[in-house]
Amino acid sequence: MFGKTSTTEDVLSGVDLTSKRVLVTGVSSGLGVETARALAAHGAEVVGAARDLAKAEGALAQAGAKIDLVELDLASLASVRACADGLNATGKPFDIVIANAGIMATPPMKTSDGFEMQFGTNHLGHFTLINRIEPLIKDGGRVVMLSSAGHRFSDVNLDDPNFETTEYTPFGAYGRSKTANVLFAVEFDRRHKTRGVRATAVHPGGIQTELARHMTEEDLNTLIERMEARRAETGQEGFQYKSIPQGAATSVWAGAVANAEEVGGRYCEDCHVTTRVTDEAFDAASEGVRPYALDPDNAAALWAKSEEMVGERF
């Protein structure tokens, strides 16, 4: 019914979300703004989390989205915990949590807690936030983790998550963090599906957003040229960017439209659950999920390591 070119409005056509309350992280640009806008336009009460509230206010106003905002810096556990405490203090439950915020291909950097920046921001920040507000998620609720085809760059490395002994590469670190997003969904789903709370991971597709801010134009062109070459070798059509409404469609589909049993503990792209397990390299326009990203033992091990790193058990 829906596919690669479906937009948020296609997916939500005829859907009334007036009884739903949703948390979306990363609402200061790109997919987060569109995700929040689309859900609010269909009646949902949306709470948006962002590090830069002034930037978020401007972007949302330009998009015509009226939502509540909370401050959240995923690269600081103090900020994450303060955000979770504030949300818990209201006592207002959520039907859907969409972990949209993320960074990509940064130079070697550390979070304020000393974690490798991409793993710390994309995974550990969301890991701590979502687990801390888990009691607010209604029975039958949904958690959507934004992963990426970039998870195919690399599995998590639980022996050296901060690149202390292995050579740092921007996309290797990105791959680890995006694999972690899938594995978190797998384990969170296992732990909470008994009360109907299901978690899923999604790949939005290749979209021109601020996510690539740390890449030079030359780096980006080189990446696209490599993808084009691989696609030509296999007889596939050339790479094409998705629009932002197309990129956000899988997030709102997985959170508000798809069948819970269908998406729970799975990896989705182009508004459907991926059935293709692949060992192929990264390609933003091709389908497939690496086996290690859905491995339940890998997911359980990552959960334990993440608890150790943030100093909390959930």
Side-chain angles (χ1 to χ4, degrees):
M1 183 177 180
F2 303 119
K4 185 177 297 185
T5 60
S6 297
T7 66
T8 49
E9 289 305 319
D10 293 333
V11 168
L12 293 176
S13 177
V15 176
D16 182 4
L17 298 175
T18 51
S19 63
K20 305 296 183 182
R21 189 166 186 261
V22 186
L23 174 66
V24 182
T25 69
V27 296
S28 60
S29 65
L31 297 181
V33 171
E34 172 60 16
T35 300
R37 183 211 64 77
L39 293 168
H42 285 263
E45 178 187 348
V46 180
V47 177
R51 180 178 57 83
D52 186 335
L53 293 182
K55 182 181 178 182
E57 287 173 358
L60 290 161
Q62 188 173 3
K66 295 182 179 180
I67 69 171
D68 295 326
L69 288 174
V70 294
E71 186 174 355
L72 172 67
D73 180 356
L74 288 163
S76 163
L77 289 182
S79 175
V80 169
R81 288 166 178 150
C83 179
D85 288 348
L87 293 172
N88 283 326
T90 70
K92 295 181 179 180
F94 290 107
D95 297 275
I96 306 167
V97 175
I98 300 180
N100 167 84
I103 55 175
M104 180 178 77
T106 67
M109 299 168 66
K110 300 289 186 183
T111 69
S112 61
D113 301 283
F115 306 132
E116 186 278 311
M117 182 62 78
Q118 296 187 73
F119 189 79
T121 301
N122 296 347
H123 169 58
L124 291 175
H126 279 126
F127 173 84
T128 305
L129 175 71
I130 294 171
N131 276 314
R132 277 187 159 234
I133 65 168
E134 177 270 325
L136 292 180
I137 303 173
K138 289 182 182 178
D139 290 356
R142 200 80 55 92
V143 173
V144 178
M145 303 298 301
L146 263 76
S147 180
S148 167
H151 81 274
R152 293 180 353 220
F153 280 121
S154 48
D155 191 2
V156 292
N157 184 333
L158 303 185
D159 294 322
D160 186 28
N162 293 317
F163 286 89
E164 294 170 339
T165 59
T166 50
E167 181 183 0
Y168 180 86
T169 63
F171 278 105
Y174 182 64
R176 290 185 185 188
S177 72
K178 294 291 101 178
T179 294
N181 290 148
V182 187
L183 291 171
F184 173 76
V186 169
E187 181 64 6
F188 192 91
D189 184 80
R190 185 191 70 79
R191 287 169 175 250
H192 299 289
K193 62 184 177 183
T194 52
R195 67 180 188 92
V197 176
R198 307 307 301 266
T200 189
V202 303
H203 166 46
I207 308 118
Q208 290 179 299
T209 70
E210 289 187 8
L211 187 65
R213 68 175 69 91
H214 295 286
M215 298 177 66
T216 65
E217 187 174 349
E218 182 180 357
D219 290 339
L220 197 56
N221 289 338
T222 298
L223 184 65
I224 293 172
E225 286 171 6
R226 289 176 179 171
M227 288 192 292
E228 290 278 20
R230 281 197 295 268
R231 296 177 71 76
E233 288 173 3
T234 56
Q236 300 178 73
E237 63 182 31
F239 170 74
Q240 290 185 326
Y241 281 113
K242 284 187 176 185
S243 68
I244 288 176
Q246 289 171 339
T250 303
S251 298
V252 298
W253 172 81
V257 178
N259 178 275
E261 280 295 319
E262 180 184 356
V263 300
R266 306 292 292 278
Y267 175 88
C268 309
E269 53 193 338
D270 296 336
C271 300
H272 65 264
V273 175
T274 292
T275 56
R276 183 167 178 262
V277 177
T278 179
D279 285 323
E280 293 177 8
F282 167 76
D283 180 340
S286 68
E287 291 192 9
V289 58
R290 294 272 198 177
Y292 55 64
L294 294 176
D295 184 329
D297 292 334
N298 203 18
L302 172 66
W303 189 284
K305 183 64 176 180
S306 301
E307 289 181 325
E308 175 190 322
M309 292 178 74
V310 304
E312 290 187 68
R313 293 182 64 84
F314 299 107

